[in-house]
Amino acid sequence: MNKVLAVFLGISILANVILGLMYVGQRATVSQAEEKTVDSKKQIVQLKDESHKKEKALTTFRQNESYYEIEHSEEVKRFVDETFKELFNYDNKTYAARFDLVRNKLAESVISKLMASGEMGSTQIEFSNKVKALNVYLSAVEKDQAKALVNMETQYSVGGSEFPRKNQIYEVTLVQNGDKWLLDKLELMGSFEPFEQN
């Protein structure tokens, strides 16, 4: 019986050693899997951060690209140029009618202010205002909004007598309405007579 007990004890010890080795092997495999899972989670977080940064950079690039397009747009500059010439080239016959030319280019509030600032009745005295030079400098505010500084040189005359040329600086706010631009705000920043020094 001792022999059977010794064999049984030997088999039991051998089984425990095998189970112990299997447990240690399984534990090592689980630890490796946990380490790989933690590493994978770190990589996923890192990739999400990189993706977010690249998405943000792309959004900034697109925004800057649209700003650049507005600031260098010949179409917008031409719109401002034409609007100012239609608005500020006038004589006593066309003074009131000029607002009809620009009605679809100016916000109603701008037209109201301009009409309120001048006499709309006809006069017998001949007068005229001619735009001699115009420079437009654009700056984008949003993808559908821009500001412009306009330096306009005009020649005003009354009864055939010309006054000295005058420069006026305007700040203009433009908004895009569909595929068209609208002059939303017009503010005279100042006027001066050119000074030349030889």
Side-chain angles (χ1 to χ4, degrees), residues 23-98:
Y23 176 77
V24 169
Q26 186 67 26
R27 200 67 202 129
T29 304
V30 168
S31 292
Q32 288 175 350
E34 286 175 351
E35 287 175 14
K36 285 183 180 180
T37 302
V38 169
D39 287 345
S40 296
K41 286 181 180 179
K42 285 180 184 176
Q43 287 177 352
I44 288 171
V45 168
Q46 193 175 18
L47 287 172
K48 282 183 180 179
D49 285 347
E50 288 176 20
S51 172
H52 181 68
K53 286 177 186 175
K54 288 182 179 179
E55 190 174 310
K56 195 173 181 180
L58 181 61
T59 302
T60 302
F61 173 78
R62 286 183 178 151
Q63 183 180 20
N64 290 340
E65 182 182 36
S66 66
Y67 285 6
Y68 180 86
E69 286 177 13
I70 290 171
E71 290 173 356
H72 294 86
S73 171
E74 290 303 317
E75 175 192 354
V76 178
K77 286 181 183 179
R78 190 171 37 256
F79 169 78
V80 174
D81 186 89
E82 289 172 1
T83 303
F84 266 72
K85 286 179 179 172
E86 289 170 344
L87 194 58
F88 292 104
N89 275 325
Y90 58 82
D91 57 23
N92 55 316
K93 295 174 191 160
T94 61
Y95 185 79
R98 67 194 168 120

Side-chain angles (χ1 to χ4, degrees), residues 100-171:
D100 293 332
L101 293 173
V102 294
R103 189 156 301 277
N104 63 339
K105 296 179 179 182
L106 272 64
E108 197 58 43
S109 60
V110 174
I111 292 174
S112 297
K113 284 180 184 178
L114 288 171
M115 291 176 81
S117 68
E119 177 63 40
M120 297 305 288
S122 64
T123 177
Q124 300 302 319
I125 301 172
E126 281 191 37
F127 65 89
S128 70
N129 193 54
K130 293 195 182 342
V131 176
K132 296 295 187 177
L134 194 72
N135 294 312
V136 179
Y137 306 96
L138 289 174
S139 176
V141 177
E142 296 288 334
K143 66 177 183 174
D144 58 353
Q145 185 179 16
K147 284 202 179 270
L149 276 180
V150 180
N151 180 11
M152 179 175 63
E153 183 181 334
T154 58
Q155 179 83 56
Y156 192 77
S157 66
V158 175
S161 298
E162 291 184 342
F163 287 88
R165 288 187 180 190
K166 184 191 277 187
N167 281 53
Q168 295 169 315
I169 305 289
Y170 287 90
E171 182 180 75

